[in-house]
């Protein structure tokens, strides 16, 4: 999912070779922005689960009944937030993982190996189909 405001933000910040994240302050600001996942945190909180940015919370998310599928307007936003949350957990817990933004504004997580994970796509697939499970995507990233 393309995040239109992100492209504008990166242009204002000046983009470098790492999708505008060469400056540690910019990278930190971007990571904070991605970590918000407000819609997901609110909806999941109402279901009794607090997202604490740990791999265990991804497994707990995988076990919830997918009530978000009942609202076709909200579904893509939940999926987008789930992907950003997945990326946040990976970046915070997998050594060498960092956010990277493609020129079109698509955020991905780049692992130390150089492999990129399209976390937003993974989150959307999870929200719509239940697969791949978020915890599985995390496990694969942690092994890489």
């Amino acid at each position: 999912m393309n995040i239109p405001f992100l492209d504008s933000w990166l242009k204002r910040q000046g983009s470098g070779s790492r999708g505008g994240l060469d400056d540690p302050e910019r990278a930190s600001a971007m990571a904070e922005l991605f970590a918000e996942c407000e819609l997901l945190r609110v909806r999941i909180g109402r279901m009794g689960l607090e997202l604490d940015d740990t791999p265990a919370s991804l497994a707990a998310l995988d076990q919830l009944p997918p009530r978000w599928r009942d609202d076709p307007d909200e579904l893509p936003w939940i999926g987008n937030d789930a992907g950003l949350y997945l990326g946040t957990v990976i970046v915070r817990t997998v050594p060498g993982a960092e956010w990277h933004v493609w020129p079109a504004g698509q955020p991905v997580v780049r692992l130390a190996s150089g492999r990129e994970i399209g976390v937003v796509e993974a989150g959307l697939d999870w929200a719509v189909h239940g697969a791949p499970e978020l915890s599985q995507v995390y496990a694969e990233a942690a092994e890489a």
Side-chain angles (χ1 to χ4, degrees):
M1 176 176 279
N2 187 17
I3 304 174
F5 73 85
L6 186 56
D7 190 39
S8 298
W9 185 85
L10 287 171
K11 286 179 184 171
R12 283 194 316 272
Q13 301 298 314
S15 60
S17 61
R18 289 181 35 217
L21 302 179
D22 286 332
D23 178 354
E25 287 183 35
R26 273 187 286 189
S28 177
M30 186 65 67
E32 286 179 38
L33 176 68
F34 291 156
E36 286 181 9
C37 313
E38 185 176 358
L39 179 63
L40 179 72
R41 290 180 190 275
V42 168
R43 295 296 183 267
I44 299 306
R46 288 181 187 160
M47 297 174 88
L49 177 63
E50 181 180 340
L51 300 179
D52 60 1
D53 301 347
T54 64
S57 66
L58 295 171
L61 270 172
D62 288 336
Q63 299 306 310
L64 291 175
R67 294 183 186 139
W68 51 85
R69 292 186 191 147
D70 296 336
D71 185 346
D73 293 329
E74 192 173 78
L75 181 60
W77 296 105
I78 290 289
N80 187 72
D81 273 12
L84 294 175
Y85 182 71
L86 169 63
T88 296
V89 174
I90 293 170
V91 167
R92 290 184 177 174
T93 61
V94 175
E98 61 185 8
W99 286 106
H100 178 79
V101 180
W102 290 344
Q106 179 70 28
V108 297
V109 171
R110 182 175 288 165
L111 303 176
S113 66
R115 177 178 164 224
E116 290 184 349
I117 300 173
V119 291
V120 172
E121 290 85 5
L124 288 167
D125 287 344
W126 171 82
V128 173
H129 306 291
E133 290 186 336
L134 300 175
S135 60
Q136 179 62 37
V137 176
Y138 175 84
E140 291 171 8
E143 290 176 3

